Amino acid sequence: MGLRKINIDTVFHALGDPTRRAIVERLSKAPLSVSMLAEPLGITLTAVAQHLQVLEESGLVHTEKVGRVRTCRIETAGLSVVEKWIRDRRSTWERRLDKLGDLLAESDG
Amino acid sequence: MGLRKINIDTVFHALGDPTRRAIVERLSKAPLSVSMLAEPLGITLTAVAQHLQVLEESGLVHTEKVGRVRTCRIETAGLSVVEKWIRDRRSTWERRLDKLGDLLAESDG
């Protein structure tokens, strides 16, 4: 999974849905089967499966079928893509603020 | 702006669009007028204005009209909401891994 190219549009889209965020929140606590995931969400297994497909495509969840049970666990690749994008913006922005600070200090001196 | 309640669904939705991410990327380098933003994007001023409205509602961009020119600058509130959500998931997940590690160490001893 680690080498797979993750589309950042897909990750942001996946996380824009409260049900999908709830799935990621629960899986960050423990791996769960699809039916255990569905229960407290009050949605059908089919709906959960659709959400899981979006989450898998985004590198946010990994599912694996063993026998008749599909187990879902968190995958961090998708979160890392978003984190990196935000960190890059912040560092550009903070460098700019530093430069502005230097300019102000020079004009003071 | 700091006290305004930001809807995390809106922020993820806003950042799921490549044009809006391009706007945030450019504004992290320097504040720009709406027409300066529109130029390299190759889209109409109306389209830019619509994207800016989504970005403002998400706490990602702040715009201010002085005279006839509307200046756009980055706002970090929206980014912080996303960062916090991801950090919370990661810390839950890493605590779980630590516990698993402890259990394995115990069963080893």
Side-chain angles (χ1 to χ4, degrees):
Chain A
M1 302 305 270
L3 290 172
R4 182 162 53 94
K5 178 80 185 142
I6 290 169
N7 182 327
I8 190 166
D9 287 16
T10 314
V11 186
F12 277 123
H13 167 71
L15 292 175
D17 179 89
T19 304
R20 285 195 289 266
R21 282 203 310 282
I23 291 174
V24 172
E25 287 179 26
R26 289 189 60 214
L27 294 180
S28 66
K29 291 176 199 148
L32 291 168
S33 69
V34 177
S35 51
M36 283 167 82
L37 262 180
E39 217 174 29
L41 293 171
I43 56 177
T44 63
L45 286 177
T46 312
V48 175
Q50 282 166 353
H51 284 308
L52 286 172
Q53 198 186 335
V54 176
L55 290 167
E56 279 204 270
E57 283 165 5
S58 317
L60 291 162
V61 165
H62 177 64
T63 78
E64 194 178 11
K65 197 161 183 173
V66 178
R68 291 192 308 172
V69 176
R70 182 171 289 280
T71 301
C72 313
R73 40 186 86 247
I74 198 129
E75 201 193 341
T76 56
L79 294 181
S80 300
V81 165
V82 168
E83 274 177 326
K84 185 186 178 316
W85 188 85
I86 293 182
R87 198 166 54 233
D88 289 350
R89 300 294 80 68
R90 268 208 192 275
S91 80
T92 308
W93 185 70
E94 280 162 10
R95 264 200 310 277
R96 172 160 67 87
L97 290 188
D98 283 349
K99 269 192 219 159
L100 281 176
D102 289 349
L103 281 172
L104 287 173
E106 274 175 37
S107 66
D108 254 11
Chain B
M1 304 303 272
L3 290 173
R4 180 163 54 96
K5 177 81 185 140
I6 291 169
N7 183 327
I8 189 166
D9 287 14
T10 314
V11 187
F12 278 122
H13 168 72
L15 292 175
D17 180 90
T19 305
R20 286 195 288 266
R21 283 202 309 282
I23 291 175
V24 172
E25 287 180 26
R26 289 188 60 213
L27 294 181
S28 65
K29 291 178 198 146
L32 291 168
S33 69
V34 177
S35 51
M36 284 166 82
L37 263 180
E39 217 173 28
L41 292 171
I43 56 177
T44 63
L45 286 178
T46 312
V48 175
Q50 282 165 353
H51 284 308
L52 286 172
Q53 198 185 334
V54 176
L55 290 166
E56 279 204 272
E57 283 165 5
S58 317
L60 292 161
V61 165
H62 177 65
T63 77
E64 193 177 12
K65 196 159 185 175
V66 178
R68 291 193 308 172
V69 175
R70 181 171 290 278
T71 300
C72 313
R73 40 186 86 245
I74 199 129
E75 201 194 341
T76 55
L79 294 182
S80 300
V81 165
V82 169
E83 275 177 325
K84 186 187 178 312
W85 187 84
I86 293 182
R87 201 166 52 232
D88 289 350
R89 299 295 79 68
R90 267 207 194 277
S91 78
T92 307
W93 186 70
E94 281 162 8
R95 262 199 311 276
R96 171 159 69 88
L97 290 188
D98 283 350
K99 270 192 218 160
L100 281 178
D102 289 348
L103 282 172
L104 287 174
E106 274 175 37
S107 65
D108 253 12

